[in-house]
Amino acid sequence: MAAGHSTTTSSSGSITHKHLFLALISTSTVTTPTTAQPQTIKMLHSCTGETEWRMQQELLFKVLVVGDLGVGKTSIIKRYVHQIFSQHYRTTIGVDFALKVLQWDSDTVIRLQLWDIAGQERYGNMTRVYYREAVGALVVFDVTRASTFEAVLKWKDDLDAKVTLNHGRPIPAVLLANKSDQIACQLPKLDFFCRENGFVGWFETSAKENTNIDEAARCLVEHIMNNEESSVSEREPTSILLSGYASTARSPLNCSSCLK
Ligand SMILES: Nc1nc2c(ncn2[C@@H]2O[C@H](COP(=O)(O)OP(=O)(O)OP(=O)(O)O)[C@@H](O)[C@H]2O)c(=O)[nH]1
Ligand SMILES: [Mg+2]
């Protein structure tokens, strides 16, 4: 994916051993899952013996992964973060967390904090708490079970009712048609469905075969970043950015099933 180097453990992948890392300005501290609040850490670093100084921004985005029981949310996250897949099904209780670190471009590191919400939570009353301060969502259904597709709108309604960006806009949500390895025929295109129901894109995914998961995540992050940029341009140039709340503008995207 275009978001070059990625890791689950380190956010300083662009800095080699011969580089001297100087965190001269840090506007934030590390955030734990339970107190997650997307924020920007601005740092200056330099290379030893060289005069060049560069600014690197680090963005923390809280992303929700929702959908009915057994659709493959945990499997998608495990594939995306740890590059593993298991046929074994152990249902998630409550919520689980994972962190994916992306070297988005030479100046930007993105830490994606993935909140794996148990399918059974749609019937519970905790989602409002789990959704708080999220800036994007992956909504998953299982292509072999129609009921899970029908539930997608219930999940979307739940998201829209309980979490919004600045100005009350919904957080960007990408629809994942998972377990695509289990159907022979092609799915009908979901562009119209997505436009009608406020999804910013859709992807046929397979956690088993590692199909389209990076692409779907990239689509979501691009939308989140667009919201970020709009948010920044509305602020004073020198102000500290606390990300997570965005404005309305969106620019066209290039990924295949991201809607323009
Ligand atoms: N064939 C196939 N099986 C999958 C895929 N993704 C997940 N599974 C299987 O589906 C079952 C459920 O997957 P999970 O990832 O645990 O589902 P979940 O959405 O997290 O379920 P809950 O935590 O109960 O909400 C497991 O047996 C997985 O191995 C896929 O892309 N293809
Ligand atoms: Mg799970």
Side-chain angles (χ1 to χ4, degrees):
M1 70 195 263
H5 168 79
S6 70
T7 173
T8 59
T9 54
S10 168
S11 63
S12 55
S14 63
I15 301 162
T16 67
H17 66 282
K18 65 177 185 173
H19 293 146
L20 176 63
F21 183 83
L22 299 172
L24 296 182
I25 302 173
S26 176
T27 60
S28 174
T29 53
V30 174
T31 308
T32 61
T34 47
T35 57
Q37 180 157 356
Q39 41 201 305
T40 295
I41 302 172
K42 288 185 178 174
M43 291 175 281
L44 289 172
H45 62 85
S46 82
C47 302
T48 308
E50 293 174 18
T51 52
E52 184 192 357
W53 290 81
R54 294 178 60 207
M55 180 90 84
Q56 176 139 340
Q57 64 171 345
E58 186 167 313
L59 303 169
L60 175 62
F61 294 142
K62 173 176 173 178
V63 167
L64 306 168
V65 184
V66 298
D68 265 6
L69 273 171
V71 294
K73 301 177 296 295
T74 302
S75 302
I76 287 167
I77 291 170
K78 287 205 164 137
R79 169 62 79 187
Y80 184 51
V81 173
H82 303 294
Q83 294 85 42
I84 55 170
F85 174 77
S86 165
Q87 299 277 2
H88 179 67
Y89 176 33
R90 202 181 63 185
T91 192
T92 304
I93 308 291
V95 63
D96 219 338
F97 308 99
L99 183 69
K100 175 85 170 177
V101 183
L102 302 171
Q103 185 72 47
W104 188 250
D105 59 33
S106 58
D107 300 326
T108 311
V109 170
I110 294 177
R111 299 168 77 84
L112 277 189
Q113 194 180 72
L114 299 159
W115 285 52
D116 178 5
I117 314 283
Q120 63 194 11
E121 285 298 319
R122 188 156 63 81
Y123 308 103
N125 52 12
M126 286 298 288
T127 54
R128 188 180 297 278
V129 176
Y130 297 151
Y131 293 174
R132 198 174 291 154
E133 289 168 352
V135 292
L138 298 171
V139 182
V140 187
F141 72 97
D142 175 346
V143 292
T144 68
R145 286 188 293 145
S147 64
T148 67
F149 179 63
E150 285 150 24
V152 150
L153 291 182
K154 295 182 181 139
W155 282 105
K156 182 72 167 69
D157 287 347
D158 198 46
L159 288 171
D160 292 349
K162 293 175 182 168
V163 59
T164 54
L165 302 172
N166 268 353
H167 314 303
R169 283 183 68 95
I171 60 171
V174 172
L175 182 62
L176 305 190
N178 192 42
K179 306 195 188 180
S180 62
D181 56 280
Q182 294 206 320
I183 47 162
C185 56
Q186 233 183 338
L187 273 184
K189 292 254 177 289
L190 291 172
D191 291 38
F192 181 76
F193 176 85
C194 285
R195 282 185 206 282
E196 285 288 290
N197 294 292
F199 291 94
V200 298
W202 67 279
F203 290 80
E204 282 182 47
T205 59
S206 168
K208 184 178 180 185
E209 297 186 344
N210 195 18
T211 308
N212 274 341
I213 292 171
D214 283 359
E215 289 80 356
R218 182 159 183 262
C219 172
L220 181 63
V221 171
E222 284 183 341
H223 277 84
I224 295 170
M225 289 292 277
N226 286 343
N227 287 338
E228 284 296 315
E229 282 157 20
S230 310
S231 183
V232 170
S233 66
E234 286 174 2
R235 295 162 189 268
E236 284 182 43
T238 52
S239 68
I240 295 168
L241 168 67
L242 286 181
S243 64
Y245 297 95
S247 67
T248 55
R250 269 189 195 139
S251 46
L253 296 169
N254 295 324
C255 43
S256 58
S257 298
C258 268
L259 302 179
K260 312 243 177 193

